Amino acid sequence: LKPFFSSRNVKCLIICSLCLGLSFLSGFLHMKNKDYRISESHKEPLIPPMPCHAKTNVMFLKTHKTASSTVLNIMFRFAERNNLTIALPAGQLLHLGYPRTFLAHFVEGFEATGQNYNIMCNHLRFNPLEVKKVMAANTFYFSILRNPVPLLESSYIYYKNSVPAFKKSKDVNEFLASPAKYYHPASYRENIYARNIMWFDFGYNNNAEDDEKYTQAVLEEIEQNFHLILIADYFDESMILLKHALCWDLDDVIYFKLNSRSQDTVQTLTPESEEKIKVWCSLDWKLYLHFNQSFWRRIEETIGLEVLEKEVGQLRTRQKELMETCLSEQEAVGKDHIRDKALLPFQSGAANILGYNLKQDLDNRTLRTCQRMVIPELQYMSYLYTVQHPHKKRKQLGLP
């Protein structure tokens, strides 16, 4: 027998290999041009995303001083437009039992309704086992965090008259110079807003020791309980990420900023105070750092920075259009300048909580749309409670 690797056979092998290579390259180029886009920067997915369906079972953990009132308004409007049921506070409660740890019977009608609620978004202290009694198995869970440095300053102003730890100090910088002098952990219900408030809202001990093993276990548990954590410091970016995660439309996440305060009530933190907050609220600081990283990682892995920038621009353009349509001043105004007292937000502490004036000549349909954009949290909750539970006694808000 002749050896296989004769010169003739080697030539045949080379020719066949070239033919196969050219055939493969031709097919690859054809596939690239016809079906898929190969992204050099990896900002676009290699495979087009599958069509999604809007999620209608959603639980939002409403944290304090994190732009969560604006998110709540978004949730209420979505529920109302889509005829969804909302897990609202029972009786004359304004929150779902807060600051007590949440129990299912804090929800109006839970005994009769069970898991037939679509939306839960009022203040509560998170308790996953009890929340799951109220919400369906396929519920999407999300929440929002804020940098603890501006958050504590906001809490100080908003709760100045009600939190013992804040009352005796002259200003926020004096409080932070020696917080242990004013803060007493035993009075946790009165003082929760003065230290690690986000940690507390998620259901954990805000006075716990900052132990690395403990904090890591908590962060992992939050990741297991929640599908998405947004960042208030990047609110528009958060709304775009939420839109994609829930498969909602742009108009579903359009907003006017609610429960914000006038700039003249903001106290300037010294550099020393800013650093002290990171130590005093170290649990919140670790919580924020961890989920700020996961927030941006989620954006890069799903929609990409280019799409994010484009859609943030669309959101702001649409928001501006609605403000021009709805508002007489095109911006929020101080409490003394709100003409319709039914749209006056609840006022707290030393803060001047802003509201809006609607244009006078709006047609009925536009008026209803605009009213829902600006109605304060308590008034909207009370209205939806009356609609959803018409035979129950109306909530007494003590507001116009």
Side-chain angles (χ1 to χ4, degrees):
L1 293 175
K2 293 182 180 179
F4 177 78
F5 288 103
S6 65
S7 60
R8 181 181 178 184
N9 287 342
V10 170
K11 289 179 182 178
C12 288
L13 280 171
I14 293 171
I15 292 170
C16 289
S17 298
L18 287 171
C19 290
L20 285 170
L22 289 170
S23 175
F24 174 79
L25 181 60
S26 174
F28 173 78
L29 291 173
H30 177 72
M31 179 184 74
K32 177 182 176 181
N33 292 332
K34 183 178 180 182
D35 298 316
Y36 299 97
R37 290 175 294 174
I38 305 300
S39 172
E40 293 179 0
S41 61
H42 302 290
K43 291 179 180 177
E44 293 178 328
L46 297 180
I47 302 174
M50 295 293 290
C52 59
H53 301 284
K55 290 179 173 62
T56 54
N57 292 330
V58 184
M59 190 277 167
F60 169 57
L61 176 61
K62 187 178 189 296
T63 48
H64 285 80
K65 314 312 301 169
T66 58
S68 61
S69 292
T70 303
V71 180
L72 177 129
N73 179 271
I74 288 170
M75 302 298 293
F76 277 171
R77 284 188 283 119
F78 183 83
E80 198 175 2
R81 276 195 305 273
N82 293 279
N83 296 314
L84 304 177
T85 56
I86 308 170
L88 294 168
Q92 293 302 307
L93 292 176
L94 302 182
H95 305 308
L96 291 167
Y98 195 90
R100 290 174 289 172
T101 301
F102 175 76
L103 297 173
H105 72 259
F106 293 157
V107 175
E108 185 66 73
F110 165 71
E111 289 80 4
T113 304
Q115 284 190 319
N116 290 329
Y117 293 97
N118 301 115
I119 302 292
M120 174 181 272
C121 54
N122 288 86
H123 273 307
L124 60 81
R125 189 179 184 206
F126 192 62
N127 184 357
L129 294 178
E130 289 292 306
V131 170
K132 287 176 182 177
K133 293 180 182 179
V134 177
M135 303 301 291
N138 66 344
T139 295
F140 183 93
Y141 289 78
F142 80 101
S143 188
I144 189 166
L145 300 174
R146 182 184 181 188
N147 187 325
V149 174
L151 185 151
L152 187 76
E153 186 276 332
S154 178
S155 292
Y156 184 91
I157 300 300
Y158 196 83
Y159 298 109
K160 173 68 173 171
N161 299 333
S162 57
V163 172
F166 293 156
K167 283 182 180 180
K168 295 181 181 179
S169 55
K170 179 182 66 176
D171 56 35
V172 67
N173 290 303
E174 183 177 274
F175 168 75
L176 289 167
S178 54
K181 173 183 174 182
Y182 305 100
Y183 181 88
H184 302 291
S187 307
Y188 87 95
R189 286 199 177 183
E190 293 80 17
N191 280 326
I192 51 175
Y193 304 104
R195 189 180 194 190
N196 294 314
I197 179 58
M198 296 186 294
W199 198 265
F200 182 87
D201 287 347
F202 274 86
Y204 302 101
N205 178 8
N206 62 318
N207 292 308
E209 183 181 349
D210 186 357
D211 174 77
E212 184 176 352
K213 186 176 180 181
Y214 164 71
T215 55
Q216 187 59 37
V218 168
L219 295 174
E220 290 175 3
E221 190 169 72
I222 292 173
E223 286 183 335
Q224 291 172 2
N225 288 329
F226 289 85
H227 298 94
L228 178 64
I229 302 293
L230 304 177
I231 301 296
D233 309 80
Y234 307 100
F235 194 80
D236 287 348
E237 292 83 355
S238 290
M239 291 304 98
I240 297 304
L241 187 56
L242 181 68
K243 177 182 83 75
H244 281 268
L246 296 178
C247 199
W248 287 5
D249 295 328
L250 184 67
D251 270 8
D252 292 327
V253 296
I254 292 293
Y255 69 92
F256 294 165
K257 189 182 294 185
L258 298 179
N259 209 37
S260 61
R261 60 193 165 114
S262 59
Q263 280 298 116
D264 59 358
T265 65
V266 176
Q267 294 185 5
T268 302
L269 292 163
T270 64
E272 293 78 14
S273 291
E274 291 185 358
E275 292 307 311
K276 285 189 175 183
I277 290 173
K278 296 174 186 178
V279 177
W280 175 246
C281 297
S282 62
L283 298 175
D284 270 3
W285 181 242
K286 288 188 174 180
L287 184 69
Y288 174 77
L289 290 179
H290 179 85
F291 285 104
N292 183 47
Q293 286 185 339
S294 69
F295 173 80
W296 291 105
R297 186 166 60 247
R298 177 77 170 261
I299 286 174
E300 291 176 355
E301 291 174 353
T302 54
I303 56 179
L305 294 175
E306 286 186 3
V307 172
L308 176 72
E309 183 179 2
K310 176 185 175 183
E311 294 196 15
V312 164
Q314 293 171 345
L315 177 80
R316 290 172 179 169
T317 298
R318 180 67 178 133
Q319 183 188 58
K320 185 179 179 182
E321 289 173 357
L322 274 172
M323 294 186 85
E324 290 173 352
T325 298
C326 295
L327 306 179
S328 56
E329 286 92 358
Q330 308 295 300
E331 62 182 3
V333 298
K335 60 184 179 181
D336 296 329
H337 299 284
I338 299 172
R339 293 190 296 267
D340 184 352
K341 298 307 177 185
L343 297 178
L344 180 69
F346 175 74
Q347 303 293 317
S348 178
N352 178 1
I353 306 301
L354 306 178
Y356 295 94
N357 288 319
L358 299 179
K359 287 183 176 178
Q360 301 295 308
D361 56 348
L362 301 174
D363 62 79
N364 287 338
R365 183 176 180 180
T366 305
L367 177 62
R368 284 194 295 271
T369 299
C370 295
Q371 283 175 332
R372 281 158 174 76
M373 295 288 295
V374 303
I375 185 170
E377 173 182 338
L378 293 179
Q379 286 94 315
Y380 207 167
M381 185 271 294
S382 177
Y383 163 73
L384 292 174
Y385 180 87
T386 302
V387 170
Q388 196 164 293
H389 305 285
H391 303 298
K392 299 284 184 177
K393 182 182 177 181
R394 296 187 67 170
K395 290 187 183 290
Q396 306 301 309
L397 301 180
L399 294 169

